[in-house]
Amino acid sequence: MTIRVLLVDDQTLLRSAFRVLVDSEPDMTVVGEAADGAQGVELARAEKPDVVLMDIRMPGMDGLAATRLISADPELARVRVVMLTTFEVDEYVVRSLRAGASGFLGKGAEPDELLNAIRIAAAGEALLSPVATKGLIAKFLAQGGPDEDASEPYSDRLDALTVREREVLVLVAGGHSNDEIAERLAVSPLTVKTHVNRAMAKLGARDRAQLVVIAYESGLVRPRVD
């Protein structure tokens, strides 16, 4: 099945480079380009792409605002947003995840890394690029501490999780893959995937990245202090 990609970036040359790269892959196609967030939201609603490559910093409506609108639209529930940023280690990392992005990637990423990111996002997985190591997301989410407004609404839903689902959620929040979790818990990767999917359903999470956000914002998981 062809992965439909929407490009949203105010730099024409960069969009053109991304288009050539994406369209060169047999399993991908670019369905539209936008130069700002507002146009990106319009195209997302019209084209319903599988993945949106969204620049964070743009004139007018920026990528964060556009991502919030896409994430809040029930008709775009299957659309995954990958945020593009010049610097991966900055405050925009946590803000992009809180806005509903499935992950983020530096603009200096290698072509293969970008294409792999699109495939990962399209599959519903969280995209944590190599520079964003396992503890990085936790540290940024912890800067403001658990969201007090978020922790209360999540409490009942967290109570609905089984012991094993909570255990899996904690490991997901630690940045572990299904294979790594399976090895730790001595179960099959398919069993882990089932627990992850059930946790997402119970918590109302769009994807794996949102599970990470919920785990930290609810206070279920606290970052380690190095």
Side-chain angles (χ1 to χ4, degrees):
M1 198 167 80
T2 302
I3 300 172
R4 305 172 76 252
V5 181
L6 173 63
L7 307 175
V8 185
D9 196 297
D10 62 323
Q11 298 180 49
T12 305
L13 287 176
L14 193 58
R15 289 202 314 273
S16 297
F18 285 159
R19 175 181 279 276
V20 171
L21 179 64
V22 171
D23 282 341
S24 69
E25 295 297 296
D27 61 336
M28 298 181 192
T29 185
V30 174
V31 296
E33 295 182 28
D36 58 49
Q39 186 182 10
V41 174
E42 289 181 9
L43 282 175
R45 288 170 175 162
E47 299 292 340
K48 293 182 173 57
D50 299 301
V51 177
V52 179
L53 290 183
M54 179 83 72
D55 186 20
I56 288 185
R57 305 178 192 181
M58 293 180 287
M61 181 185 291
D62 65 14
L64 292 170
T67 299
R68 290 190 192 97
L69 290 175
I70 291 173
S71 299
D73 191 333
E75 294 187 0
L76 302 179
R78 297 182 64 86
V79 176
R80 299 291 177 254
V81 178
V82 174
M83 304 299 286
L84 298 173
T85 177
T86 303
F87 301 102
E88 295 180 68
V89 184
D90 62 19
E91 74 277 10
Y92 290 102
V93 171
V94 60
R95 291 174 64 188
S96 66
L97 290 176
R98 281 178 170 151
S102 294
F104 55 93
L105 194 69
K107 287 187 176 181
E110 294 295 324
D112 286 347
E113 189 178 0
L114 177 65
L115 294 172
N116 188 49
I118 294 172
R119 294 186 177 100
I120 290 173
E125 298 292 328
L127 174 67
L128 307 182
S129 62
V131 175
T133 54
K134 294 177 180 178
L136 181 61
I137 299 299
K139 291 175 183 177
F140 277 109
L141 284 172
Q143 284 183 348
D147 189 327
E148 293 182 1
D149 293 331
S151 60
E152 185 60 31
Y154 285 133
S155 60
D156 290 341
R157 282 184 269 176
L158 287 173
D159 289 341
L161 298 180
T162 65
V163 173
R164 180 63 93 185
E165 287 164 357
R166 276 177 172 257
E167 192 173 8
V168 169
L169 176 56
V170 169
L171 292 171
V172 167
H176 298 286
S177 68
N178 284 358
D179 288 342
E180 291 171 337
I181 295 173
E183 185 175 350
R184 280 179 174 238
L185 301 181
V187 297
S188 72
L190 181 60
T191 297
V192 173
K193 184 176 181 180
T194 299
H195 288 311
V196 170
N197 289 339
R198 287 176 179 169
M200 285 195 294
K202 291 179 180 180
L203 295 173
R206 285 168 55 92
D207 55 27
R208 200 181 186 93
Q210 293 307 296
L211 281 182
V212 176
V213 174
I214 290 170
Y216 283 97
E217 295 224 331
S218 66
L220 175 65
V221 178
R222 303 275 180 167
R224 291 178 299 180
V225 178
D226 296 331

